Amino acid sequence: MALVIKDRVLETCTSPGTGTVTLLGATTGYQAFSAAIGNANTTYYTIADQAGGSNWEVGLGTYTATGNTLTRTTVLASSNAGALVNFSSGTQSVFCTYPS
């Protein structure tokens, strides 16, 4: 398992709660986690509400090809006082980032 950081990696998901995120495919013009990050590798990620909501989370996660998922391993910062955010409705953007 390697740490992989790539540019222009962006997918969507819907309502992952506080658990593993099932990715729904790359947004037009961007790379998918499957192509850019690769199976069993870790990356820095951001999850944020698309509809202008106030929910967001930055962390370290592990991508798994089976099921096209991102496991939220370590939260580095979030709108929930640094804890996992419970995304309960709507569509979220999930993308690679480099945390500050």
Side-chain angles (χ1 to χ4, degrees):
M1 168 171 33
L3 175 65
V4 178
I5 302 169
K6 297 285 184 160
D7 295 323
R8 299 191 57 80
V9 179
L10 171 63
E11 297 199 38
T12 59
C13 68
T14 54
S15 310
T18 58
T20 298
V21 175
T22 299
L23 302 167
L24 301 176
T27 301
T28 301
Y30 292 86
Q31 300 181 78
F33 278 78
S34 59
I37 304 306
N39 188 50
N41 291 321
T42 59
T43 193
Y44 295 111
Y45 70 86
T46 295
I47 303 173
D49 285 333
Q50 277 191 338
S54 59
N55 294 318
W56 60 271
E57 180 180 303
V58 177
L60 184 66
T62 302
Y63 175 75
T64 304
T66 303
N68 197 34
T69 61
L70 182 69
T71 301
R72 297 149 71 181
T73 310
T74 304
V75 177
L76 302 173
S78 76
S79 59
N80 188 27
L84 282 168
V85 173
N86 183 6
F87 292 97
S88 60
S89 64
T91 301
Q92 294 77 39
S93 295
V94 184
F95 56 93
C96 288
T97 191
Y98 196 82
S100 60

